[in-house]
């Protein structure tokens, strides 16, 4: 119960709380879309979003937008940055930052590989029928002896590794 | 925005330079791979076969196989 409360609190903070500061959509619409389905979301492969990040501007932000309609050489550095932050949610450096997600992914991949290995082991013990006669050790030994008698692949292959005088494998 | 002036980057001939470098490189790499294969794989293989057949006698080989009993038509 405690974890469920913490989880819903985190969801509410992450979803609506941060967005209400910039309110790109009218809050009356309810939850609205979350990234990456929001109109202001940009990524490296889709860098020009449809809508600006902040659509509801207060008075000084509107004054800045009016100033933007004039010559841009009159804008100070801080004003240019403020305009960028109105238009876009994050800079390229921020949106392209790396994460630790790969560790989670690899961990889950390995975990499920291990689980599959357990299933396959169980299958080997409880499901597989007994080996055919040709796979018993005795039969395989006789098969190998016959292959050596026939001198299979005598230049580079099997018979080339067998010492026919000493009747053992070459060192 | 920056106070110092950066050097003007190379504006032209980028593809031509890349092609030149990679033509030479590809030529050398393929020659190298071919030489390595010839002296690492092909020549030892030819030598192994030559050594095997230098003192090879098919009659002796046949007699050995017959003695081992693998043939069905002759004993």
């Amino acid at each position: 119960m405690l974890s469920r409360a913490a989880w819903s609190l985190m969801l509410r903070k992450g979803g609506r709380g941060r967005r209400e500061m910039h309110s790109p959509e009218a809050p009356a619409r309810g939850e609205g879309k979350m990234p990456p389905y929001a109109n202001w979301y940009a990524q490296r492969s889709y860098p020009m979003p449809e809508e600006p990040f902040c659509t509801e501007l207060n008075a000084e932000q509107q004054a800045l937008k009016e100033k933007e309609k004039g010559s841009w050489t009159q804008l100070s550095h801080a004003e240019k940055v403020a305009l960028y932050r109105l238009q876009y949610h994050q800079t390229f450096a921020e949106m392209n930052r790396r994460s630790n997600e790969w560790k989670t992914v690899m961990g889950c991949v390995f975990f499920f590989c291990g689980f599959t290995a357990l299933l396959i082991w169980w299958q080997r013990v409880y499901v597989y029928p007994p080996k055919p006669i040709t796979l018993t050790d005795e039969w395989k030994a006789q098969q190998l002896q016959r292959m050596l008698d026939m001198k299979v692949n005598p230049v580079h292959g099997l018979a080339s590794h067998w010492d026919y005088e000493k009747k053992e494998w070459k060192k | 925005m920056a106070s110092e002036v950066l050097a003007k980057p190379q504006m032209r001939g980028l593809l031509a330079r890349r092609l030149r470098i990679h033509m030479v490189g590809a030529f050398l790499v393929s020659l190298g791979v071919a030489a390595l294969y010839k002296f690492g794989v092909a020549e030892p293989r030819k030598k192994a076969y030559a050594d095997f057949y230098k003192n090879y006698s098919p009659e002796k080989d046949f007699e050995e196989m017959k003695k081992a009993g693998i043939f069905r038509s002759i004993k």
Side-chain angles (χ1 to χ4, degrees):
Chain A
M1 193 170 75
L2 188 67
S3 61
R4 210 181 317 141
W7 184 244
S8 62
L9 182 71
M10 191 177 88
L11 275 182
R12 218 169 295 139
K13 258 184 73 173
R16 287 299 290 161
R18 240 181 279 130
R19 274 201 359 229
E20 263 159 359
M21 293 193 316
H22 304 277
S23 35
E25 297 141 277
R29 256 185 54 199
E31 268 306 317
K33 296 188 188 179
M34 295 181 70
Y37 304 107
N39 277 337
W40 45 263
Y41 181 74
Q43 53 195 11
R44 189 161 159 241
S45 57
Y46 195 81
M48 307 304 285
E50 291 92 18
E51 301 282 331
F53 183 54
C54 300
T55 47
E56 292 178 20
L57 308 171
N58 63 24
E60 64 169 285
Q61 287 171 336
Q62 280 179 348
L64 190 55
K65 282 303 223 183
E66 289 299 318
K67 193 173 173 195
E68 191 194 15
K69 292 179 185 172
S71 171
W72 287 344
T73 53
Q74 293 167 356
L75 295 168
S76 73
H77 179 68
E79 284 172 336
K80 288 179 195 169
V81 171
L83 283 168
Y84 184 94
R85 288 291 174 184
L86 287 178
Q87 184 74 15
Y88 299 107
H89 176 219
Q90 286 174 322
T91 67
F92 272 81
E94 286 163 8
M95 78 165 76
N96 290 336
R97 71 187 178 278
R98 14 166 225 195
S99 73
N100 287 327
E101 190 188 0
W102 68 272
K103 298 176 190 173
T104 312
V105 170
M106 291 311 283
C108 291
V109 165
F110 292 142
F111 176 78
F112 282 109
C113 281
F115 182 67
T116 308
L118 287 173
L119 290 180
I120 291 173
W121 185 9
W122 179 89
Q123 195 178 28
R124 170 70 188 80
V125 170
Y126 289 105
V127 178
Y128 278 27
K131 274 190 200 173
I133 186 174
T134 50
L135 286 177
T136 57
D137 287 332
E138 196 189 79
W139 191 286
K140 287 204 288 192
Q142 287 173 345
Q143 185 173 347
L144 179 60
Q145 181 59 54
R146 190 174 143 81
M147 284 168 77
L148 290 172
D149 292 337
M150 285 196 281
K151 309 214 179 175
V152 165
N153 291 332
V155 182
H156 273 309
L158 185 70
S160 70
H161 298 303
W162 180 256
D163 191 339
Y164 281 91
E165 272 89 54
K166 293 197 211 129
K167 299 256 190 274
E168 60 184 10
W169 293 108
K170 286 183 189 166
K171 296 289 176 289
Chain B
M1 218 144 84
S3 51
E4 77 285 350
V5 178
L6 296 168
K8 185 173 178 179
Q10 177 72 6
M11 304 290 268
R12 292 165 181 269
L14 295 164
L15 180 63
R17 191 185 69 175
R18 180 196 165 82
L19 284 179
R20 229 179 303 131
I21 293 172
H22 284 75
M23 286 288 229
V24 173
F27 192 72
L28 291 175
V29 166
S30 43
L31 273 185
V33 168
L36 271 178
Y37 185 85
K38 181 176 168 70
F39 294 110
V41 178
E43 288 301 319
R45 191 177 284 171
K46 287 196 268 189
K47 185 170 178 308
Y49 274 82
D51 290 341
F52 179 79
Y53 283 108
K54 194 162 38 172
N55 298 323
Y56 180 69
S57 155
E59 288 82 17
K60 174 161 159 286
D61 215 35
F62 172 70
E63 288 303 322
E64 281 173 8
M65 287 195 214
K66 191 163 88 159
K67 198 150 68 84
I70 59 162
F71 294 121
R72 284 206 214 169
S73 44
I74 38 171
K75 287 280 178 245

